[in-house]
Amino acid sequence: MGCLGWKYQLFCLVVLLSFLFHLPSSFSSSLSSISPCSALLHFNSSLSLHRSASPSYYASRIQMCDNSYPKTASWKEDKECCSWDGVECDQTTRHVIGLDLSCSWLNGPIHSNSTLFFLPHLRTLNLAGNCFNESLISPEFGKFKTLTHLNLSFSCFSGKIPNEISHLSSLVSLDLSLNDELLIETPVWKRVIYNLTQLRELLLDWSDMSSIRANSLMNLSSSLTTLSLNDCMLQGKLQNNFLGLPSIQTLDLGFNDNLDLGPFSKCNWSSIYLKFLDLSFISFSEELPNFISNMKSLKHLNLANCNLIGSIPISLGNLTKLTSLDMSSNNFSGLLPLSLLNLPNLSTLHLGYNQLVGPLPNHVSGFNLIDLSLGSNFLNGTLPSWLFNLPSLVTLSLDDNQFIGEIDEFKYNSLEYLDLGYNKLQGSIPRSISRFVNLTYLSLSSNNLSIMLESEMFSKLKNLELLDFSNNNLVGINNNVTYTLPNLQLLNLSSCNISEFPIFLRTTTTLLLLDLSKNKIYGQIPRWLGDVGRDSLYFLDLRDNLLQGPFPNLSFLSLRYIFVSNNKLIGEIPSLICNASSLYVLDLSHNNLSGMVPKCLVQSNVLSVLDLRMNSLHGTIPTTFSTGNKFRNINLNGNQLEGPLPRSLANCRNLEVLDLGSNKINGTFPYWLEGLLNLQVLVIRSNKFQGCIGNPKTKFPFPNLRILDISNNEFNGPLPIKYFKFLKAMTNVDEGKVAIKYMGEGYYQDSLNVMMKGLYIELVRIQTVFTIIDFSKNSFSGEMPQIIGRLKSLKGLNFSHNNLTGYIPSSFGNLSNLEWLDLSFNKLIGEIPRQLANLSWLEVLNLSHNQLTGHIPSGKQFNTFDNDSYTENLGLCGFPLSTKCNSYAAKKPPPLTLQQKDNIEPQNGFSWQAILMGYGCGVIFGMLMGYLMFKIGKPKWIVRMVKLE
Ligand SMILES: *[C@@H]1O[C@H](CO)[C@@H](O)[C@H](O)[C@H]1NC(C)=O
Ligand SMILES: *[C@@H]1O[C@H](CO)[C@@H](O)[C@H](O)[C@H]1NC(C)=O
Ligand SMILES: *[C@@H]1O[C@H](CO)[C@@H](O)[C@H](O)[C@H]1NC(C)=O
Ligand SMILES: *[C@@H]1O[C@H](CO)[C@@H](O)[C@H](O)[C@H]1NC(C)=O
Ligand SMILES: *[C@@H]1O[C@H](CO)[C@@H](O)[C@H](O)[C@H]1NC(C)=O
């Protein structure tokens, strides 16, 4: 850095002198007499200018950097600095007394040696809305002795707030809010309370005050009018009266979810000056008291997420100055009071996510509403006409209620956000929507609407970002269109009965999410789909259609989720899929794809779900699963894969579901998977595995396995006693205490084909308590070990079609969750243990084709089984068989001549009349990702996104 001009050289000289003569604290004032202008110039030249340092930001009270521009760009060295933009001088002394460089694109650090601190006469300093690169707030700020206003908000400061801030004893306003978790510790907080007695405004939002005692807030200056501590991690109990500050007008304690403000009733709600109150995310668990209406000046009230109960007080209608009311996400019940909708100045009303019932009133007088959000309640009746006559309405969100009837035409065109989804609306969509030139969000999902996607309707909606018509009666598409939706990011036309790809997408380049699932779209996937969102599309759902032909070689670089299951695709998996380096879920199941499993897929370090089941893939499974991979579910069931299982599957440390059933895979039992701590489902049924299972190689094999299906292979030898001993997850599920959960994640619900109660069915969702062992159709021999009785959470046990001998262990009577038990087609002898009568959930029992003898246990479940459960035993007697028991017959061993042939096959299978209920063969929820995040997420998060761009 070179010294430019004589002013700077002089500055360098002074700095040098100050070091020589050790001038510590009087240093700055001695310098100021030389040139504040050169100090300013040098401060400016130490920073760079970037538009991104001053992004615009809106929150309830805050509107930052709306029209930012670089103020210092117009500063000229040859001019007197008092005339510079943002600089204010005293009329007589010509001292620089004010500096306002808010939202000026300033970017770079402010170190302690910055010349900013050579302006000793400053009274106001505003550097808000810039980005000082995570700088610490320098202790030098404490030297501005005459400062009355200091604003360093939204400027990327971080670290500890220095003690020296408490030297600014003339401060009237201190704003350090919206930085990166500035740390405020108790010593500096105490000094601030003690010394800054003139303070009227204190704003520290987004700081870390987690170590501050909440009660100390009561010691703040009594002249305080603004106290803003939103999202400051405050915790503990604030006793007494949190509204006790006598002059307070703005109080923001929102997003401090660990703060306890005690009961409302203890609080003095008569603060007549209070205009702004935000207590969102603080839990009260009580009714909102009527006397809230004493706060006559209140303009803005935010009690969202406060766990409030009871009905909404009618007296809120007395707060005639109210412009904004947010009480969403509480447990309010009852009717929506008419008095609220009649408030003359109300522009924002958020009451979504409550339990409000009944219809909306027919007549209201408050017509200033800009934002009306009543989603996720139980509101019903028709949509009243006043809703369509609000001249300033920008946001209307009535989704997830029970509204019926048709949607009227809107009289005005101001809407930007319209969500009427998840109701029972019918008819067509209002034509007036075509005039909403500023509309960005349109959801009419899940109604009974008849919608025609046609050109006139959408040609003007150039700002549309989200369009969701999913789950409606019928959507016709007029594909002779010329219009485009240049800003479309999310399109959901799932379950709309459409048979073509919507061609208006063709020129869209910003698409993030495309859901056309559950339609009747036929023919090939068009090539232009590859251009739609080439660099942006991350979610593509085409499942459950009639798509044919090969999967086109689309270069979806940004794709993270691909669902194309249940179509009629043929050909190979395209090689360009290897370019989708962020691919997280790939579901191509239930098609007719051929060729091999691409190597790149198993080499991925990102892929979590690989579902290629029910295709015609052949060849071996690639052997190169990498270490550190993220696989959670690998399903290759129902292909023609052959060869042995790759050992590198053991690298899948996150694996929960592995289903390789119905292939031609050979080799021995994959004991090397027993160390996978998360593995819950292992299915290798109907392959060519062979040999003896042997003993585990680790101390606690398969610690979380709950579904083990190795049936229909060529395993032989004894049942693996040691494995049964350690299948921990099968021994200890206490169902009564476990809430019903399903495996998988929001976007991908694990599903599985299992043999259940004698039927091969697809479980659309897998309950996490579902526990099955199926070893049927192998050649296991020897006896069934008693130890199986420890696997208490088992719901199904199938050892049928083996060569098992010996008795049925009486310990099976401990399998108290058992719902089906199939031991048929073995060589079991002896009596059926009486203990089995204790299995109160047992619905299906098959002991046929064995050599059992004696009395069939009676009572309880055993009264419900019929003859089929016992056929071909001949030594059994008693109900339901016609053979009566006498004491002689019961003890008689079975005649040897009745021994059955080993490999007898059932005639028509065993006919179970099982009622397959309770396993959630329900719907998978179509998931629109990220909607909620944008609707109710923390504003902070969005800002960070902005900053990242
Ligand atoms: C100011 O301090 C910073 C960090 O301590 C240092 O990198 C920089 O060179 C200093 N600038 C001047 C002009 O001394
Ligand atoms: C209080 O302010 C005065 C004057 O600015 C200062 O000298 C003193 O050190 C401050 N005291 C504390 C505890 O910060
Ligand atoms: C407040 O509203 C209630 C119910 O609407 C009404 O009975 C009461 O008189 C009002 N109180 C005042 C002070 O206006
Ligand atoms: C609306 O809901 C209320 C309360 O749940 C119920 O009593 C009423 O019958 C419903 N009205 C209609 C039109 O469905
Ligand atoms: C659309 O937005 C622009 C810019 O905010 C505004 O000037 C215009 O009035 C809006 N149009 C309608 C129909 O509200």
Side-chain angles (χ1 to χ4, degrees), residues 757-758 797-801 808 819-826 828 832 836 842-850 852 862 865-873 906 909-912:
K757 305 183 186 179
L797 181 60
N798 191 344
F799 284 149
S800 68
H801 296 276
I808 299 174
E819 295 179 24
W820 69 99
L821 174 63
D822 189 349
L823 305 176
S824 63
F825 293 93
N826 279 293
L828 303 174
I832 301 171
L836 293 193
L842 195 63
E843 199 181 315
V844 174
L845 174 71
N846 190 353
L847 303 176
S848 67
H849 297 88
N850 276 293
L852 298 168
F862 273 81
F865 306 131
D866 59 18
N867 289 4
D868 292 346
S869 296
Y870 311 108
T871 47
E872 297 293 333
N873 274 289
F910 197 79
S911 71
W912 306 109

Side-chain angles (χ1 to χ4, degrees), residues 262-265 283-289 306-310 332:
F264 269 140
S265 43
S283 181
F284 289 96
S285 313
E286 61 182 316
E287 291 191 21
L288 190 59
C306 286
N307 219 348
L308 295 167
I309 56 175
F332 285 119

Side-chain angles (χ1 to χ4, degrees), residues 138-181:
S138 164
E140 297 293 312
F141 277 100
K143 294 204 175 134
F144 294 118
K145 287 280 182 285
T146 50
L147 211 56
T148 58
H149 292 75
L150 177 59
N151 189 345
L152 302 180
S153 68
F154 201 47
S155 319
C156 318
F157 281 105
S158 68
K160 278 188 202 175
I161 295 184
N163 276 333
E164 286 76 3
I165 212 82
S166 65
H167 296 178
L168 303 174
S169 53
S170 312
L171 270 190
V172 171
S173 171
L174 175 61
D175 188 349
L176 304 179
S177 63
L178 318 186
N179 281 296
D180 292 338
E181 289 190 2

Side-chain angles (χ1 to χ4, degrees), residues 35-55:
S35 176
C37 295
S38 71
L40 280 172
L41 266 187
H42 188 71
F43 169 62
N44 184 39
S45 68
S46 71
L47 301 166
S48 55
L49 299 179
H50 284 291
R51 176 188 278 277
S52 64
S54 305

Side-chain angles (χ1 to χ4, degrees), residues 352-372:
Y353 299 91
N354 279 291
Q355 284 139 42
L356 302 174
V357 298
L360 291 177
N362 278 327
H363 299 284
V364 305
S365 59
F367 275 88
N368 287 315
L369 281 171
I370 293 174
D371 179 350
L372 179 61

Side-chain angles (χ1 to χ4, degrees), residues 391 393-394 412-416 435-439 463:
L393 197 63
V394 169
Y412 301 94
N413 304 329
S414 47
L415 270 177
E416 293 174 17
R435 300 191 311 257
F436 295 168
V437 293
N438 291 335
L439 196 66
N463 290 303

Side-chain angles (χ1 to χ4, degrees), residues 10 27-36 95 118 120-121:
L10 189 58
F27 164 50
S28 56
S29 50
S30 71
L31 189 101
S32 65
S33 58
I34 301 168
S35 176
H95 289 147
F118 300 127
H121 302 287

